[in-house]
Amino acid sequence: EITAQQFQIFPNPVDAGSSLTMSFSATQKDRLLQIFNIQGQLISQQEVSAGSTFSLISTENLAPGCYYASMDGGLPTKFIVQ
């Protein structure tokens, strides 16, 4: 399981239209990365393959504001698109 200390997003804040990187300890199985808006609505999701240590998240389709990233429904990490 990925904990808050093993889960980092940078840069944060990120400029709209750029990509940000989410880094974490290597996963032992496929995981589901989900992005939610401030109202808790699911904005996007992508599969993270077993053994991965990072994932790139495009902000191209995200309006400026506050978002949350969660791995397998775990504790969310906040990030800001400006």
Side-chain angles (χ1 to χ4, degrees), residues 46-75:
Q46 65 187 56
E47 187 174 293
V48 177
S49 299
S52 296
T53 58
F54 74 94
S55 183
L56 293 177
I57 301 169
S58 173
T59 63
E60 185 175 317
N61 296 320
L62 300 180
C66 180
Y67 295 88
Y68 294 91
S70 177
M71 191 73 93
D72 288 336
L75 188 65

Side-chain angles (χ1 to χ4, degrees), residues 7 9 12 20 22 33-45 57 62 65-71 74-81:
F7 186 97
I9 294 180
N12 191 9
L20 54 87
M22 186 178 89
L33 169 63
Q34 297 177 306
I35 305 296
F36 299 91
N37 65 15
I38 194 80
Q39 290 84 25
Q41 297 169 315
L42 180 64
I43 300 299
S44 68
Q45 62 184 18
I57 301 169
L62 300 180
C66 180
Y67 295 88
Y68 294 91
S70 177
M71 191 73 93
L75 188 65
T77 299
K78 178 180 165 180
F79 68 94
I80 297 171
V81 176

Side-chain angles (χ1 to χ4, degrees), residues 9-37:
I9 294 180
F10 55 91
N12 191 9
V14 63
D15 292 329
S18 298
S19 291
L20 54 87
T21 302
M22 186 178 89
S23 67
F24 39 84
S25 298
T27 62
Q28 296 179 1
K29 61 179 183 176
D30 291 348
R31 302 269 184 182
L32 184 63
L33 169 63
Q34 297 177 306
I35 305 296
F36 299 91
N37 65 15

